[in-house]
């Protein structure tokens, strides 16, 4: 965890993209629902109420997309959460 991306409160362990394909599809397309699963170390000593977010910025520095999860209770240690796109 010491070298993982993050800060003194949270360090990222793993991210997975989980597509929900329509019948017969095998590629992620613009209308394919996906879950993004995060696994992270919560380095804070107490359980915290957190939400997961993704921001997408264009080359001009403008935020063009943002999505967040519902709040989750994150105890100290390894935690997992998902958000839906």
């Amino acid at each position: 965890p010491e070298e993982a991306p993050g800060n003194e409160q949270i360090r990222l362990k793993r991210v997975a993209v989980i597509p929900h394909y329509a019948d017969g599809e095998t590629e992620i397309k613009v209308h394919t629902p996906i879950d993004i699963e995060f696994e992270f170390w919560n380095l804070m000593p107490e359980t915290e109420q957190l939400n997961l977010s993704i921001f997408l910025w264009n080359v001009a520095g403008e935020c063009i997309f943002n999505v967040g999860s519902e709040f989750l209770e994150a105890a100290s240690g390894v935690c997992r959460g998902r958000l839906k796109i």
Side-chain angles (χ1 to χ4, degrees):
E2 296 81 28
E3 296 182 21
N7 57 32
E8 67 280 348
Q9 297 174 328
I10 300 288
R11 295 277 178 180
L12 188 59
K13 183 175 183 186
R14 183 181 68 86
V15 177
V17 176
I18 304 163
H20 298 277
Y21 296 119
D23 290 338
E25 288 188 350
T26 58
E27 298 177 351
I28 296 175
K29 298 180 181 173
V30 70
H31 295 291
T32 305
I34 60 174
D35 289 350
I36 309 291
E37 183 176 81
F38 293 88
E39 194 170 20
F40 58 94
W41 289 279
N42 178 6
L43 304 174
M44 295 178 278
E46 297 180 18
T47 298
E48 297 289 336
Q49 194 174 53
L50 305 174
N51 81 318
L52 306 169
S53 299
I54 293 178
F55 293 85
L56 180 63
W57 303 83
N58 66 16
V59 294
E62 302 163 326
C63 182
I64 58 172
F65 181 78
N66 173 293
V67 64
S69 71
E70 295 185 16
F71 283 101
L72 59 114
E73 296 290 324
S76 184
V78 176
C79 301
R80 183 178 294 152
R82 284 188 182 198
L83 57 84
K84 299 182 182 299
I85 299 176

Coordinates of all heavy atoms in Angstrom, one line a residue:
P1 N 0.8 -1.2 0.0 CA 0.0 0.0 0.0 C 0.8 1.3 0.0 O 0.4 2.3 -0.5 CB -0.8 -0.1 1.3 CG -0.5 -1.4 1.9 CD 0.5 -2.1 1.1
E2 N 2.1 1.2 0.5 CA 2.9 2.4 0.6 C 3.2 3.1 -0.7 O 3.3 4.3 -0.8 CB 4.2 2.1 1.4 CG 4.0 1.7 2.8 CD 3.7 0.2 2.9 OE1 4.1 -0.6 2.0 OE2 3.0 -0.2 3.9
E3 N 3.3 2.3 -1.8 CA 3.6 2.8 -3.1 C 2.4 2.9 -4.0 O 2.5 3.3 -5.2 CB 4.7 2.0 -3.7 CG 6.0 2.1 -2.9 CD 7.1 1.3 -3.6 OE1 7.1 1.0 -4.8 OE2 8.1 0.9 -2.8
A4 N 1.2 2.5 -3.6 CA 0.0 2.5 -4.4 C -0.5 4.0 -4.6 O -0.2 4.8 -3.7 CB -1.1 1.7 -3.7
P5 N -1.2 4.2 -5.7 CA -1.7 5.6 -5.9 C -2.7 5.9 -4.8 O -3.5 5.1 -4.3 CB -2.5 5.5 -7.2 CG -2.1 4.2 -7.8 CD -1.5 3.3 -6.8
G6 N -2.7 7.2 -4.3 CA -3.6 7.7 -3.3 C -2.9 8.7 -2.4 O -2.0 9.4 -2.8
N7 N -3.3 8.7 -1.2 CA -2.8 9.7 -0.2 C -2.7 9.0 1.2 O -2.8 7.8 1.3 CB -3.7 10.9 -0.2 CG -5.1 10.7 0.1 OD1 -5.5 9.8 0.9 ND2 -6.0 11.5 -0.5
E8 N -2.6 9.8 2.2 CA -2.4 9.2 3.6 C -3.7 8.6 4.1 O -3.7 8.0 5.1 CB -1.9 10.3 4.5 CG -2.8 11.4 4.8 CD -2.9 12.5 3.7 OE1 -2.0 12.5 2.8 OE2 -3.8 13.4 3.8
Q9 N -4.9 8.8 3.4 CA -6.1 8.3 3.9 C -6.6 7.1 3.1 O -7.1 6.1 3.6 CB -7.2 9.4 3.8 CG -6.9 10.6 4.7 CD -7.9 11.7 4.5 OE1 -8.4 11.9 3.4 NE2 -8.2 12.4 5.5
I10 N -6.4 7.1 1.8 CA -6.9 6.0 0.9 C -5.8 5.7 -0.1 O -5.2 6.6 -0.7 CB -8.1 6.4 0.1 CG1 -9.3 6.8 1.0 CG2 -8.6 5.4 -0.9 CD1 -9.9 5.7 1.7
R11 N -5.6 4.4 -0.4 CA -4.6 3.9 -1.4 C -5.4 2.9 -2.3 O -6.0 2.0 -1.8 CB -3.4 3.2 -0.8 CG -2.5 4.1 0.0 CD -1.6 4.9 -0.8 NE -0.8 5.8 0.0 CZ 0.1 6.6 -0.5 NH1 0.3 6.6 -1.8 NH2 0.7 7.4 0.2
L12 N -5.2 3.1 -3.6 CA -5.9 2.2 -4.6 C -5.2 0.9 -4.7 O -4.0 0.8 -4.9 CB -5.9 2.9 -5.9 CG -6.8 2.3 -7.0 CD1 -8.2 2.1 -6.6 CD2 -6.7 3.1 -8.3
K13 N -6.0 -0.2 -4.6 CA -5.4 -1.6 -4.7 C -5.7 -2.2 -6.1 O -4.9 -2.8 -6.7 CB -5.9 -2.5 -3.6 CG -5.4 -3.9 -3.6 CD -5.8 -4.7 -2.5 CE -5.2 -6.1 -2.5 NZ -5.7 -6.9 -1.5
R14 N -7.0 -2.0 -6.5 CA -7.4 -2.7 -7.8 C -8.6 -2.0 -8.3 O -9.4 -1.5 -7.6 CB -7.7 -4.1 -7.5 CG -8.1 -4.9 -8.7 CD -8.5 -6.4 -8.3 NE -9.7 -6.4 -7.5 CZ -10.9 -6.5 -8.0 NH1 -11.1 -6.5 -9.3 NH2 -12.0 -6.5 -7.3
V15 N -8.7 -1.9 -9.7 CA -9.9 -1.4 -10.4 C -10.3 -2.4 -11.4 O -9.4 -2.9 -12.1 CB -9.6 0.0 -11.0 CG1 -10.9 0.4 -11.8 CG2 -9.3 1.0 -10.0
A16 N -11.6 -2.7 -11.6 CA -12.0 -3.7 -12.6 C -13.2 -3.1 -13.3 O -14.1 -2.4 -12.7 CB -12.4 -5.0 -11.9
V17 N -13.3 -3.2 -14.6 CA -14.4 -2.8 -15.4 C -15.2 -4.1 -15.7 O -14.7 -5.1 -16.2 CB -13.9 -2.2 -16.8 CG1 -15.1 -1.9 -17.7 CG2 -13.1 -1.0 -16.5
I18 N -16.5 -4.0 -15.3 CA -17.4 -5.2 -15.4 C -18.6 -4.8 -16.3 O -19.5 -4.1 -15.9 CB -17.9 -5.6 -14.0 CG1 -16.7 -5.9 -13.1 CG2 -18.8 -6.8 -14.1 CD1 -17.0 -5.9 -11.7
P19 N -18.5 -5.2 -17.6 CA -19.6 -4.9 -18.6 C -20.8 -5.8 -18.4 O -20.7 -6.9 -17.9 CB -18.9 -5.1 -19.9 CG -17.8 -6.1 -19.7 CD -17.4 -5.9 -18.3
H20 N -22.0 -5.2 -18.7 CA -23.2 -6.0 -18.7 C -23.7 -6.1 -20.1 O -24.5 -5.2 -20.6 CB -24.2 -5.4 -17.8 CG -23.8 -5.3 -16.3 ND1 -23.9 -6.4 -15.5 CD2 -23.2 -4.3 -15.6 CE1 -23.4 -6.1 -14.3 NE2 -23.0 -4.8 -14.4
Y21 N -23.2 -7.1 -20.9 CA -23.5 -7.2 -22.3 C -25.0 -7.6 -22.5 O -25.5 -8.4 -21.8 CB -22.6 -8.2 -22.9 CG -21.2 -7.9 -22.9 CD1 -20.3 -8.8 -22.2 CD2 -20.7 -6.8 -23.5 CE1 -18.9 -8.5 -22.2 CE2 -19.3 -6.5 -23.5 CZ -18.4 -7.4 -22.9 OH -17.1 -7.1 -22.9
A22 N -25.5 -7.1 -23.6 CA -26.8 -7.5 -24.1 C -26.6 -8.9 -24.8 O -25.4 -9.3 -25.0 CB -27.4 -6.6 -25.1
D23 N -27.6 -9.7 -25.0 CA -27.5 -11.0 -25.5 C -26.6 -11.0 -26.8 O -26.9 -10.2 -27.7 CB -28.8 -11.6 -25.8 CG -29.6 -11.9 -24.6 OD1 -29.0 -12.1 -23.5 OD2 -30.8 -12.0 -24.6
G24 N -25.6 -11.8 -26.8 CA -24.8 -12.0 -28.0 C -23.7 -11.0 -28.2 O -22.8 -11.1 -29.1
E25 N -23.6 -9.9 -27.4 CA -22.6 -8.9 -27.5 C -21.3 -9.3 -26.8 O -21.4 -10.0 -25.8 CB -23.1 -7.5 -27.0 CG -24.1 -6.9 -27.9 CD -24.4 -5.4 -27.4 OE1 -24.0 -5.0 -26.3 OE2 -25.1 -4.7 -28.1
T26 N -20.2 -8.9 -27.3 CA -18.9 -9.2 -26.7 C -18.0 -8.0 -26.6 O -16.9 -8.1 -26.2 CB -18.2 -10.3 -27.5 OG1 -18.0 -9.8 -28.9 CG2 -19.0 -11.6 -27.5
E27 N -18.5 -6.8 -27.0 CA -17.7 -5.6 -27.0 C -18.5 -4.5 -26.2 O -19.7 -4.4 -26.2 CB -17.5 -5.0 -28.4 CG -16.7 -5.9 -29.3 CD -16.5 -5.4 -30.7 OE1 -17.2 -4.3 -31.0 OE2 -15.8 -5.9 -31.5
I28 N -17.7 -3.7 -25.5 CA -18.3 -2.6 -24.8 C -18.6 -1.5 -25.8 O -17.7 -1.1 -26.5 CB -17.4 -2.0 -23.7 CG1 -17.1 -3.1 -22.6 CG2 -17.9 -0.8 -23.1 CD1 -16.1 -2.7 -21.5
K29 N -19.8 -1.0 -25.9 CA -20.2 0.1 -26.8 C -20.8 1.2 -25.9 O -20.9 1.1 -24.7 CB -21.3 -0.5 -27.7 CG -20.7 -1.6 -28.6 CD -21.8 -2.1 -29.6 CE -21.2 -3.2 -30.4 NZ -22.1 -3.8 -31.2
V30 N -21.1 2.3 -26.5 CA -21.5 3.5 -25.8 C -22.8 3.2 -24.9 O -22.9 3.9 -23.9 CB -21.7 4.7 -26.8 CG1 -23.0 4.5 -27.6 CG2 -21.8 6.0 -26.0
H31 N -23.6 2.3 -25.3 CA -24.8 2.0 -24.5 C -24.7 0.8 -23.6 O -25.7 0.4 -23.0 CB -26.0 1.8 -25.5 CG -26.4 3.1 -26.2 ND1 -26.9 4.2 -25.6 CD2 -26.2 3.4 -27.5 CE1 -27.1 5.1 -26.5 NE2 -26.7 4.7 -27.7
T32 N -23.5 0.2 -23.5 CA -23.3 -1.0 -22.7 C -23.2 -0.5 -21.2 O -22.3 0.3 -20.9 CB -22.0 -1.7 -23.0 OG1 -22.0 -2.0 -24.4 CG2 -21.8 -2.9 -22.2
P33 N -24.1 -1.0 -20.3 CA -23.9 -0.6 -18.9 C -22.7 -1.3 -18.4 O -22.4 -2.5 -18.7 CB -25.2 -1.2 -18.3 CG -26.1 -1.6 -19.4 CD -25.3 -1.8 -20.6
I34 N -22.0 -0.6 -17.5 CA -20.8 -1.1 -16.9 C -20.8 -0.8 -15.4 O -21.3 0.3 -15.0 CB -19.5 -0.7 -17.6 CG1 -19.3 0.8 -17.5 CG2 -19.3 -1.2 -19.0 CD1 -17.9 1.3 -18.0
D35 N -20.2 -1.7 -14.6 CA -19.8 -1.4 -13.3 C -18.3 -1.2 -13.2 O -17.6 -1.8 -13.9 CB -20.2 -2.5 -12.3 CG -21.7 -2.7 -12.1 OD1 -22.5 -1.8 -12.6 OD2 -22.1 -3.8 -11.6
I36 N -17.9 -0.3 -12.4 CA -16.5 -0.1 -12.1 C -16.3 -0.5 -10.6 O -16.9 0.1 -9.7 CB -16.0 1.4 -12.3 CG1 -16.4 1.9 -13.6 CG2 -14.5 1.5 -12.0 CD1 -15.7 1.3 -14.8
E37 N -15.5 -1.5 -10.4 CA -15.3 -2.0 -9.0 C -13.9 -1.5 -8.5 O -12.9 -1.7 -9.2 CB -15.4 -3.5 -9.0 CG -15.2 -4.1 -7.6 CD -15.4 -5.6 -7.5 OE1 -14.4 -6.3 -7.8 OE2 -16.5 -6.0 -7.2
F38 N -13.9 -0.9 -7.4 CA -12.7 -0.5 -6.8 C -12.4 -1.3 -5.5 O -13.3 -1.6 -4.7 CB -12.8 1.0 -6.3 CG -13.0 2.0 -7.4 CD1 -14.3 2.3 -7.9 CD2 -11.9 2.6 -7.9 CE1 -14.4 3.2 -8.9 CE2 -12.0 3.6 -8.9 CZ -13.3 3.8 -9.4
E39 N -11.1 -1.6 -5.4 CA -10.6 -2.2 -4.1 C -9.5 -1.3 -3.6 O -8.7 -0.9 -4.4 CB -10.1 -3.6 -4.4 CG -9.9 -4.4 -3.1 CD -9.6 -5.9 -3.4 OE1 -9.2 -6.2 -4.5 OE2 -9.8 -6.7 -2.5
F40 N -9.6 -0.9 -2.3 CA -8.7 0.1 -1.8 C -8.4 -0.2 -0.4 O -9.1 -0.9 0.3 CB -9.3 1.5 -2.0 CG -10.6 1.7 -1.4 CD1 -10.7 2.2 -0.1 CD2 -11.8 1.4 -2.0 CE1 -11.9 2.4 0.5 CE2 -13.0 1.6 -1.5 CZ -13.1 2.1 -0.2
W41 N -7.3 0.4 0.1 CA -7.0 0.4 1.5 C -7.5 1.6 2.1 O -7.2 2.8 1.7 CB -5.4 0.3 1.7 CG -4.8 -1.0 1.3 CD1 -4.7 -2.1 2.1 CD2 -4.1 -1.2 0.1 NE1 -4.0 -3.1 1.4 CE2 -3.6 -2.6 0.2 CE3 -3.8 -0.5 -1.0 CZ2 -2.9 -3.2 -0.8 CZ3 -3.1 -1.1 -2.0 CH2 -2.6 -2.4 -1.9
N42 N -8.3 1.5 3.1 CA -8.8 2.6 4.0 C -7.8 2.7 5.1 O -7.7 1.9 6.0 CB -10.2 2.4 4.5 CG -10.7 3.6 5.4 OD1 -10.0 4.6 5.5 ND2 -11.8 3.4 6.0
L43 N -6.9 3.8 5.1 CA -5.9 3.9 6.1 C -6.3 4.7 7.3 O -5.6 5.0 8.2 CB -4.7 4.5 5.4 CG -4.1 3.8 4.2 CD1 -3.0 4.6 3.6 CD2 -3.7 2.4 4.6
M44 N -7.6 5.2 7.3 CA -8.1 6.0 8.4 C -8.5 5.0 9.6 O -8.9 3.9 9.3 CB -9.3 6.8 8.0 CG -8.9 7.8 6.9 SD -10.3 8.8 6.3 CE -11.0 7.7 5.1
P45 N -8.3 5.4 10.8 CA -8.4 4.5 11.9 C -9.9 4.1 12.2 O -10.1 3.1 12.9 CB -7.8 5.3 13.1 CG -7.9 6.7 12.7 CD -7.8 6.7 11.2
E46 N -10.8 4.9 11.8 CA -12.2 4.6 12.1 C -13.0 4.3 10.8 O -12.6 4.7 9.7 CB -12.8 5.8 12.9 CG -12.2 6.0 14.2 CD -12.8 7.2 14.9 OE1 -13.9 7.6 14.6 OE2 -12.2 7.7 15.8
T47 N -14.2 3.7 11.0 CA -15.0 3.5 9.8 C -15.5 4.9 9.3 O -15.9 5.7 10.1 CB -16.3 2.7 10.2 OG1 -15.8 1.4 10.7 CG2 -17.2 2.5 9.1
E48 N -15.4 5.0 8.0 CA -15.8 6.3 7.3 C -16.9 6.0 6.3 O -17.0 5.0 5.7 CB -14.6 6.9 6.6 CG -13.5 7.3 7.5 CD -13.7 8.5 8.4 OE1 -14.6 9.3 8.0 OE2 -13.1 8.6 9.5
Q49 N -17.8 7.0 6.1 CA -18.8 6.9 5.1 C -18.2 7.6 3.8 O -17.9 8.8 3.9 CB -20.0 7.6 5.5 CG -21.2 7.3 4.7 CD -22.5 7.9 5.2 OE1 -22.6 9.1 5.5 NE2 -23.5 7.1 5.3
L50 N -17.9 6.8 2.8 CA -17.3 7.3 1.6 C -18.1 7.0 0.4 O -19.0 6.2 0.4 CB -15.9 6.5 1.4 CG -14.9 6.5 2.5 CD1 -13.8 5.6 2.2 CD2 -14.4 7.9 2.8
N51 N -17.8 7.8 -0.7 CA -18.4 7.4 -2.0 C -17.3 7.4 -3.0 O -16.2 8.1 -2.8 CB -19.5 8.3 -2.4 CG -19.1 9.6 -3.0 OD1 -18.2 10.3 -2.5 ND2 -19.8 10.1 -4.1
L52 N -17.4 6.6 -4.0 CA -16.4 6.5 -5.1 C -16.9 7.3 -6.3 O -18.0 7.4 -6.6 CB -16.3 5.0 -5.5 CG -16.1 4.0 -4.4 CD1 -16.2 2.6 -4.9 CD2 -14.7 4.3 -3.8
S53 N -15.9 8.0 -6.9 CA -16.3 8.9 -8.0 C -15.2 8.8 -9.2 O -14.1 8.5 -8.9 CB -16.3 10.4 -7.6 OG -17.2 10.6 -6.6
I54 N -15.7 9.0 -10.4 CA -14.9 9.1 -11.5 C -15.2 10.4 -12.2 O -16.3 10.8 -12.4 CB -15.1 7.9 -12.5 CG1 -14.7 6.6 -11.9 CG2 -14.4 8.2 -13.8 CD1 -15.0 5.4 -12.8
F55 N -14.1 11.1 -12.5 CA -14.2 12.4 -13.3 C -13.4 12.2 -14.6 O -12.3 11.6 -14.6 CB -13.5 13.5 -12.5 CG -14.3 13.9 -11.3 CD1 -14.0 13.2 -10.1 CD2 -15.2 14.9 -11.3 CE1 -14.7 13.6 -8.9 CE2 -15.9 15.3 -10.1 CZ -15.6 14.6 -8.9
L56 N -14.0 12.6 -15.7 CA -13.3 12.6 -17.0 C -13.1 14.0 -17.5 O -14.1 14.8 -17.6 CB -14.1 11.8 -18.0 CG -13.6 11.6 -19.4 CD1 -12.3 10.9 -19.4 CD2 -14.6 10.9 -20.3
W57 N -11.9 14.4 -17.8 CA -11.5 15.7 -18.2 C -11.1 15.7 -19.7 O -10.4 14.8 -20.1 CB -10.4 16.3 -17.3 CG -10.7 16.3 -15.9 CD1 -10.6 15.2 -15.0 CD2 -11.2 17.3 -15.1 NE1 -11.0 15.6 -13.8 CE2 -11.4 16.9 -13.8 CE3 -11.6 18.7 -15.4 CZ2 -11.9 17.7 -12.8 CZ3 -12.0 19.5 -14.4 CH2 -12.2 19.0 -13.1
N58 N -11.5 16.7 -20.4 CA -11.0 16.8 -21.8 C -9.6 17.6 -21.8 O -9.2 18.0 -20.8 CB -12.0 17.4 -22.8 CG -12.3 18.9 -22.5 OD1 -11.5 19.6 -21.7 ND2 -13.4 19.4 -23.0
V59 N -9.0 17.7 -23.0 CA -7.7 18.3 -23.1 C -7.7 19.8 -22.8 O -6.7 20.4 -22.5 CB -7.1 18.1 -24.5 CG1 -6.8 16.6 -24.7 CG2 -8.0 18.6 -25.6
A60 N -8.9 20.4 -22.8 CA -9.0 21.8 -22.5 C -9.2 22.0 -20.9 O -9.3 23.1 -20.5 CB -10.2 22.4 -23.2
G61 N -9.2 20.9 -20.2 CA -9.3 21.0 -18.7 C -10.7 21.1 -18.2 O -10.9 21.4 -17.1
E62 N -11.7 20.8 -19.1 CA -13.1 20.8 -18.7 C -13.6 19.4 -18.2 O -13.3 18.5 -18.9 CB -13.9 21.3 -19.8 CG -13.5 22.7 -20.3 CD -14.1 23.0 -21.7 OE1 -14.2 22.1 -22.5 OE2 -14.3 24.2 -22.0
C63 N -14.3 19.4 -17.1 CA -14.9 18.1 -16.7 C -16.1 17.8 -17.6 O -17.0 18.6 -17.7 CB -15.3 18.2 -15.2 SG -16.0 16.6 -14.6
I64 N -16.0 16.7 -18.3 CA -17.1 16.4 -19.3 C -17.9 15.2 -18.8 O -18.9 14.9 -19.4 CB -16.5 16.1 -20.7 CG1 -15.5 15.0 -20.7 CG2 -15.9 17.4 -21.3 CD1 -15.1 14.6 -22.0
F65 N -17.5 14.5 -17.7 CA -18.3 13.4 -17.2 C -17.9 13.2 -15.7 O -16.8 13.3 -15.3 CB -17.9 12.1 -18.0 CG -18.6 10.9 -17.6 CD1 -20.0 10.7 -17.9 CD2 -18.0 10.0 -16.7 CE1 -20.6 9.6 -17.5 CE2 -18.7 8.8 -16.3 CZ -20.0 8.6 -16.7
N66 N -18.9 12.9 -14.9 CA -18.7 12.6 -13.5 C -19.8 11.6 -13.1 O -21.0 11.8 -13.5 CB -18.8 13.9 -12.7 CG -18.8 13.6 -11.2 OD1 -19.7 13.0 -10.7 ND2 -17.8 14.0 -10.6
V67 N -19.4 10.6 -12.4 CA -20.3 9.6 -11.9 C -19.8 9.2 -10.5 O -18.6 9.2 -10.2 CB -20.5 8.4 -12.8 CG1 -19.2 7.6 -12.9 CG2 -21.6 7.5 -12.3
G68 N -20.7 9.0 -9.6 CA -20.4 8.6 -8.2 C -21.2 7.4 -7.7 O -22.3 7.2 -8.2
S69 N -20.7 6.8 -6.7 CA -21.4 5.7 -6.1 C -22.3 6.2 -5.0 O -22.2 7.3 -4.5 CB -20.4 4.6 -5.5 OG -19.8 5.2 -4.4
E70 N -23.1 5.3 -4.5 CA -23.9 5.6 -3.2 C -22.8 5.5 -2.1 O -21.7 5.0 -2.3 CB -25.0 4.6 -3.0 CG -26.1 4.7 -4.1 CD -27.2 3.8 -3.8 OE1 -27.4 3.3 -2.6 OE2 -28.0 3.6 -4.7
F71 N -23.1 6.1 -0.9 CA -22.2 6.1 0.2 C -22.0 4.6 0.7 O -23.0 3.8 0.6 CB -22.7 6.9 1.3 CG -22.5 8.4 1.1 CD1 -23.5 9.2 0.7 CD2 -21.2 8.9 1.3 CE1 -23.3 10.6 0.4 CE2 -21.0 10.3 1.0 CZ -22.0 11.1 0.6
L72 N -20.8 4.3 1.1 CA -20.6 3.0 1.7 C -19.8 3.2 3.0 O -19.1 4.1 3.2 CB -19.8 2.1 0.7 CG -18.4 2.6 0.2 CD1 -17.3 1.7 0.8 CD2 -18.4 2.6 -1.3
E73 N -20.1 2.3 3.9 CA -19.4 2.3 5.2 C -18.0 1.6 5.0 O -18.0 0.4 4.7 CB -20.2 1.5 6.2 CG -21.5 2.2 6.6 CD -21.3 3.5 7.3 OE1 -20.4 3.6 8.1 OE2 -22.2 4.4 7.0
A74 N -16.9 2.3 5.1 CA -15.6 1.7 4.8 C -14.8 1.6 6.2 O -14.4 2.6 6.7 CB -14.8 2.6 3.8
A75 N -14.7 0.4 6.7 CA -13.9 0.2 7.9 C -12.4 0.3 7.5 O -12.0 0.2 6.3 CB -14.2 -1.2 8.4
S76 N -11.6 0.5 8.5 CA -10.1 0.5 8.3 C -9.7 -0.8 7.7 O -10.2 -1.9 8.1 CB -9.4 0.8 9.6 OG -8.1 0.9 9.4
G77 N -8.8 -0.8 6.7 CA -8.3 -2.0 6.0 C -8.7 -2.0 4.6 O -9.0 -1.0 4.0
V78 N -8.7 -3.2 4.0 CA -9.1 -3.4 2.6 C -10.6 -3.3 2.4 O -11.4 -4.0 3.1 CB -8.6 -4.7 2.0 CG1 -9.0 -4.9 0.5 CG2 -7.0 -4.7 2.1
C79 N -11.1 -2.4 1.5 CA -12.5 -2.2 1.2 C -12.8 -2.4 -0.3 O -11.9 -2.3 -1.1 CB -12.9 -0.8 1.7 SG -12.6 -0.5 3.4
R80 N -14.0 -2.6 -0.6 CA -14.4 -2.7 -2.0 C -15.7 -2.0 -2.2 O -16.6 -2.0 -1.3 CB -14.6 -4.2 -2.3 CG -15.0 -4.4 -3.8 CD -15.1 -5.9 -4.1 NE -13.8 -6.5 -4.0 CZ -13.6 -7.8 -3.7 NH1 -14.6 -8.6 -3.5 NH2 -12.4 -8.3 -3.6
G81 N -15.9 -1.4 -3.3 CA -17.1 -0.7 -3.7 C -17.3 -0.6 -5.2 O -16.3 -0.8 -5.9
R82 N -18.5 -0.3 -5.7 CA -18.8 -0.2 -7.1 C -19.6 1.0 -7.4 O -20.3 1.5 -6.6 CB -19.7 -1.4 -7.5 CG -19.0 -2.7 -7.7 CD -19.9 -3.8 -8.3 NE -19.2 -5.0 -8.4 CZ -19.5 -6.0 -9.1 NH1 -20.6 -5.9 -9.9 NH2 -18.8 -7.1 -9.2
L83 N -19.4 1.5 -8.6 CA -20.3 2.5 -9.2 C -20.7 2.0 -10.5 O -20.1 1.2 -11.2 CB -19.6 3.9 -9.2 CG -18.3 4.0 -10.0 CD1 -18.5 4.3 -11.4 CD2 -17.6 5.3 -9.4
K84 N -21.9 2.5 -11.0 CA -22.5 2.1 -12.2 C -22.5 3.3 -13.3 O -22.7 4.4 -12.9 CB -23.9 1.7 -12.0 CG -24.1 0.5 -11.1 CD -25.5 0.1 -10.9 CE -25.7 -1.0 -9.9 NZ -25.0 -2.2 -10.3
I85 N -22.2 2.9 -14.5 CA -22.2 3.8 -15.6 C -23.2 3.2 -16.6 O -23.1 2.1 -17.0 CB -20.8 4.0 -16.3 CG1 -19.9 4.6 -15.2 CG2 -21.0 4.9 -17.5 CD1 -18.5 4.7 -15.7

